[in-house]
């Protein structure tokens, strides 16, 4: 499990000290990064993608959402993805898309583990 996938202390601060609000934010972010979520196109970027502009917008949104959810690794990957897209390095962007999906799964596992303890 990847404890660095989510910063629970920061997430609680962002939520104004409310665990319920923190959980709503985390769940909302994970929903947007889900396989059928708004940010799902970031997971499958091909070397011939004709939607680079849209993908850059989605990666920018992903940065903000990951920051709001206190998910530092997800935020970093979104920043790297945005840079690759800005530089038209689509092959690198495709590899980051795979890493982004894996990290989303890591965050999900951490969340499930924490909630099963409480």
């Amino acid at each position: 499990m990847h404890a660095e996938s989510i910063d629970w202390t920061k997430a609680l601060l962002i939520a104004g000290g409310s665990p319920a609000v923190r959980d709503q934010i985390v769940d909302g972010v994970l929903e947007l990064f889900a396989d059928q979520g708004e940010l799902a196109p970031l997971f499958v970027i091909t070397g011939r993608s004709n939607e680079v502009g849209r993908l850059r917008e989605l990666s920018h949104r992903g940065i903000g959402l990951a920051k709001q959810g206190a998910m530092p690794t997800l935020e970093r990957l979104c920043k790297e993805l945005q840079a690759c897209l800005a530089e038209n390095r689509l092959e690198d962007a495709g590899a980051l898309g795979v890493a982004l999906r894996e990290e989303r799964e890591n965050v999900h596992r951490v969340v499930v583990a924490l909630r099963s303890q409480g």
Side-chain angles (χ1 to χ4, degrees), residues 3 12 17 23-25 33 40-41 44-46 48 56 61 63 66 68 70 74 91 97 107 109 116-117:
L12 193 58
D23 291 349
Q24 287 177 336
I25 292 169
F33 274 101
V44 185
I45 299 171
T46 64
R48 295 182 303 237
R56 284 176 55 194
R61 181 158 164 73
I63 293 166
Q68 186 175 3
L74 204 57
E91 189 172 310
V107 172
R109 280 191 289 276
S116 68
Q117 293 174 1

Side-chain angles (χ1 to χ4, degrees), residues 26-110:
V26 167
D27 291 346
V29 171
L30 287 175
E31 185 176 311
L32 291 167
F33 274 101
D35 284 334
Q36 300 302 315
E38 178 184 334
L39 301 176
L42 296 176
F43 301 144
V44 185
I45 299 171
T46 64
R48 295 182 303 237
S49 183
N50 59 353
E51 296 184 345
V52 172
R54 178 172 173 266
L55 292 170
R56 284 176 55 194
E57 289 174 18
L58 288 175
S59 64
H60 179 75
R61 181 158 164 73
I63 293 166
L65 288 166
K67 185 177 288 194
Q68 186 175 3
M71 302 168 184
T73 305
L74 204 57
E75 180 183 350
R76 179 185 53 78
L77 288 169
C78 285
K79 285 179 181 178
E80 290 176 16
L81 179 59
Q82 187 178 42
C84 285
L85 291 167
E87 297 167 4
N88 221 20
R89 293 185 291 127
L90 299 182
E91 189 172 310
D92 293 339
L96 282 167
V98 172
L100 195 63
R101 174 183 269 152
E102 290 172 3
E103 180 56 20
R104 189 266 335 261
E105 290 302 318
N106 289 336
V107 172
H108 179 73
R109 280 191 289 276
V110 169

Side-chain angles (χ1 to χ4, degrees), residues 8-23 25 68:
W8 288 108
T9 303
K10 184 176 180 182
L12 193 58
L13 284 171
I14 291 168
S18 170
V21 172
R22 175 204 59 204
D23 291 349
I25 292 169
Q68 186 175 3

